[in-house]
Amino acid sequence: MATSQKYNVNPARILARLQVEQRLLTKQRASKGALNHATGYGAFDDGRTLKSKGLHSQIRNAARTLNDHYGRFSGNEVVRIDYGQKIVKPETAATYSLLKYTPHTHGARLNSEVITNMIVASLER
């Protein structure tokens, strides 16, 4: 919670990253590799990775990056997704931030499903 507050990112967005990238919300046990790459921060499509291993580092860097992308949105940006095959013009800073973080249709769809499921589950309580 402190990290999401520090970077002004909704905790649901961090939880969604944990689920989308490594299924950490629904796994019984997580491997060291899953924890080391928990939010997918620093993992590029070309196989390169940034040094950001460990759950705390992954969460901190994901929150910081999502916040940075959010803050850069002015309403006129376009994002190349799906390996540059599609160009989209996000309507909101939240969508822009998500697509800049994970520029794939599939990742965006999964993120939306995870957040929707979290909202539904919280309403059912």
Side-chain angles (χ1 to χ4, degrees), residues 37-58:
H37 304 287
T39 64
Y41 174 80
F44 298 96
D45 292 334
D46 63 9
R48 291 178 300 126
T49 58
L50 299 176
K51 291 184 179 184
S52 179
K53 291 184 178 178
L55 184 59
H56 180 72
S57 178
Q58 283 283 301

Side-chain angles (χ1 to χ4, degrees), residues 40-90:
Y41 174 80
F44 298 96
D45 292 334
D46 63 9
R48 291 178 300 126
T49 58
L50 299 176
K51 291 184 179 184
S52 179
K53 291 184 178 178
L55 184 59
H56 180 72
S57 178
Q58 283 283 301
I59 290 172
R60 183 182 65 249
N61 284 308
R64 180 182 49 78
T65 301
L66 288 166
N67 178 279
D68 288 349
H69 291 319
Y70 190 94
R72 288 188 187 113
F73 182 74
S74 70
N76 297 315
E77 292 79 8
V78 296
V79 181
R80 289 187 171 276
I81 63 170
D82 297 337
Y83 305 98
Q85 299 298 312
K86 295 179 184 174
I87 297 174
V88 295
K89 188 175 189 303

